[in-house]
Amino acid sequence: MKILKTIAGAFFLLAGTLSFAQTAEEIAKKSHDLPDGKTNSFTAVLTLTDKAGKSRTREIVSYEMKEGTTEKNVIVFKTPKDVAGVSYLSFEYPDKSDGTPVDSDSWLYLPAMKKVRRVSGSNRDDDFQGTDFTYDDIGKRSLGKDTVKILGEESVNGVDCWKVEYTAKDTKAKISRRIFWIGKDNYVTYKGEYYDKRNALQKELTCEDISQISGYWTTRKMTMTNVQSKHKTVYEIKDIVYDKDVDPKMFTVSALERELVK
């Protein structure tokens, strides 16, 4: 999953007596651009638990492909019946050469209504289909939407990390800032915190079962907990395949409407 590939930090690499430093922006880009194959596909199980401890489970399939500089992703809910067939298509574009962010194109198909609706840029901080992950979390948040600041260095489960703050440039953003802990050796996110408009902690992210698959760093379990509502979503990838051909016809609004993506 691509989920949370934006971070920044300060990294010193010792080579003999020389010391080289990277800027926060440089590390942010390296984390954002972590390789995840020309294509990838996986099945995932999402477990949603409310404050009373009642859980419900959903299964999705995801396909991704790169076409030039555009990253295309389609997600389809398989179970349970009440959400089966709900699908989401997004096209992510790189920032402009001057760093200006370019909004993604996104569409959501609701089979009960037989209707596709666009997901606007202002909705990117909304929760994705009742989960505690946002549309930005399941895609790639543009680097140009935030200013980055290094807060320090900490260890997460024995992994040396940079602790980096991302503050939204849009003062009206629902999530005002994010803090991520990124591994110094691999630029992978190990932990995160999300703050609301009032700068109060809203959500906490933990990442587990991180390893390389086919040479690509992969996080197979993520838990997002809303500390305000006491609701939580566990996202577990059951299988993932990289660099295997996928049908480009799946990545169209027409394919959503005709429910062709399986």
Side-chain angles (χ1 to χ4, degrees), residues 11-215:
F11 172 70
F12 292 90
L13 175 62
L14 296 178
T17 60
L18 298 178
S19 177
F20 301 90
Q22 298 181 63
T23 67
E25 290 75 16
E26 288 171 337
I27 294 179
K29 182 169 176 56
K30 287 183 180 180
S31 183
H32 182 273
D33 295 343
L34 272 176
D36 56 358
K38 185 170 179 59
T39 68
N40 67 68
S41 59
F42 62 84
T43 300
V45 174
L46 286 70
T47 304
L48 289 66
T49 305
D50 63 22
K51 63 181 180 180
K54 183 177 179 180
S55 296
R56 51 200 170 111
T57 300
R58 297 175 175 179
E59 185 178 63
I60 64 169
V61 292
S62 173
Y63 302 92
E64 180 182 321
M65 69 171 289
K66 293 178 177 63
E67 190 171 77
T69 60
T70 301
E71 296 193 14
K72 299 182 177 183
N73 180 228
V74 62
I75 295 172
V76 180
F77 284 82
K78 304 297 290 182
T79 63
K81 289 184 178 180
D82 62 332
V83 295
V86 171
S87 50
Y88 174 69
L89 173 68
S90 67
F91 294 172
E92 307 277 355
Y93 310 108
D95 293 345
K96 294 182 179 179
S97 58
D98 63 358
T100 302
V102 178
D103 283 337
S104 62
D105 286 317
S106 306
W107 302 265
L108 184 70
Y109 173 68
L110 302 172
M113 302 175 63
K114 299 293 182 182
K115 183 178 180 180
V116 172
R117 68 174 180 84
R118 287 192 69 107
V119 178
S120 68
S122 61
N123 295 127
R124 298 287 294 181
D125 277 346
D126 288 350
D127 291 342
F128 177 66
Q129 289 298 295
T131 73
D132 296 286
F133 293 91
T134 67
Y135 286 91
D136 260 345
D137 291 332
I138 64 172
K140 277 191 176 180
R141 180 174 172 84
S142 167
L143 291 173
K145 291 183 178 180
D146 300 304
T147 56
V148 295
K149 178 182 178 181
I150 302 163
L151 300 182
E153 301 177 5
E154 289 184 5
S155 176
V156 178
N157 296 327
V159 177
D160 290 335
C161 296
W162 294 294
K163 181 180 178 182
V164 184
E165 178 184 67
Y166 269 55
T167 301
K169 294 178 180 178
D170 181 1
T171 57
K172 296 181 181 179
K174 295 176 183 177
I175 299 175
S176 63
R177 64 189 182 105
R178 299 161 171 83
I179 299 175
F180 295 104
W181 284 253
I182 294 299
K184 291 185 177 182
D185 291 338
N186 55 14
Y187 301 95
V188 173
T189 303
Y190 283 82
K191 178 182 174 181
E193 293 179 348
Y194 295 67
Y195 292 79
D196 63 18
K197 290 181 179 179
R198 300 169 300 163
N199 199 31
L201 178 62
Q202 182 182 40
K203 298 189 297 185
E204 294 178 330
L205 171 74
T206 58
C207 301
E208 303 171 87
D209 199 0
I210 299 170
S211 64
Q212 285 188 307
I213 299 176
S214 299

